[in-house]
Amino acid sequence: MAEFNQDNEHRPSYRTGLVYDLAEYLAACGVCASPDADQRVVGNIPAVFAYRLEDEPDRAMAVFNITVDEAASDSNPTVRFSLVFRGEPRDQITPLEDAALAYKHLHDLTDIKLTATSGFLSCRRVINDPPLLDTNDRWHAVDTYTATLLAPPTTH
């Protein structure tokens, strides 16, 4: 599994499961489709992608730009990630509404259980970019979050 930076260059991935744990959590909150679903036919909810926003379907989101900083703590590192939401052509409102729903389930919350084995001690949106328009007249809303990871459970 690989991670890509904003310049689409390959870099080693760290804690690769986190992107899927976050997608599962957001799907359970109704923010996006289940990562296990066929993303081409998810209906009236954003399709979800890891690391890259695919071209189809129009209404979609991606979890990308994940970095992990263990400078403060090895067991509870800080993670930074971005979410991008895209709407149908000429629809500027839906991506903003989808991003707002993710914000409701992430920003300023504590003890967020992503899956049975991963979670955030705390999470905060740190960058709220203005909407962007692509060459296909589709608007994008991009938010960046910083979170402190919960230490993984110990097994004995």
Side-chain angles (χ1 to χ4, degrees), residues 82-93:
S82 297
L83 303 177
V84 59
F85 294 87
R86 181 182 63 217
E88 302 282 334
R90 294 167 293 287
D91 178 1
Q92 187 175 359
I93 302 302

Side-chain angles (χ1 to χ4, degrees), residues 4-155:
F4 294 83
N5 63 18
Q6 290 176 334
D7 296 325
N8 205 29
E9 296 173 6
H10 182 293
R11 66 180 173 198
S13 187
Y14 185 71
R15 296 186 192 237
T16 56
L18 181 62
V19 69
Y20 303 109
D21 294 348
L22 188 53
E24 288 284 346
Y25 169 75
L26 292 172
C29 294
V31 174
C32 61
S34 169
D36 296 329
D38 180 348
Q39 300 303 308
R40 296 167 295 180
V41 292
V42 294
N44 194 26
I45 193 164
V48 62
F49 298 100
Y51 304 116
R52 306 166 83 138
L53 187 59
E54 298 295 332
D55 195 46
E56 294 294 330
D58 287 318
R59 188 171 178 202
M61 71 159 285
V63 181
F64 71 105
N65 232 16
I66 296 176
T67 58
V68 178
D69 180 3
E70 294 178 321
S73 170
D74 290 336
S75 59
N76 299 105
T78 300
V79 62
R80 187 175 178 117
F81 61 92
S82 297
L83 303 177
V84 59
F85 294 87
R86 181 182 63 217
E88 302 282 334
R90 294 167 293 287
D91 178 1
Q92 187 175 359
I93 302 302
T94 302
L96 295 174
E97 290 174 342
D98 292 341
L101 185 57
Y103 175 88
K104 174 185 171 186
H105 292 286
L106 291 170
H107 179 73
D108 235 4
L109 299 180
T110 58
D111 296 321
I112 300 171
K113 188 171 186 165
L114 300 177
T115 65
T117 59
S118 71
F120 296 147
L121 284 172
S122 63
C123 186
R124 188 159 190 79
R125 184 176 69 189
V126 293
I127 300 174
N128 176 229
D129 287 324
L132 305 168
L133 186 62
D134 71 14
T135 57
N136 294 317
D137 286 329
R138 297 179 298 189
W139 287 94
H140 298 69
V142 183
D143 290 335
T144 300
Y145 291 83
T146 298
T148 302
L149 289 175
L150 282 166
T154 57
T155 56

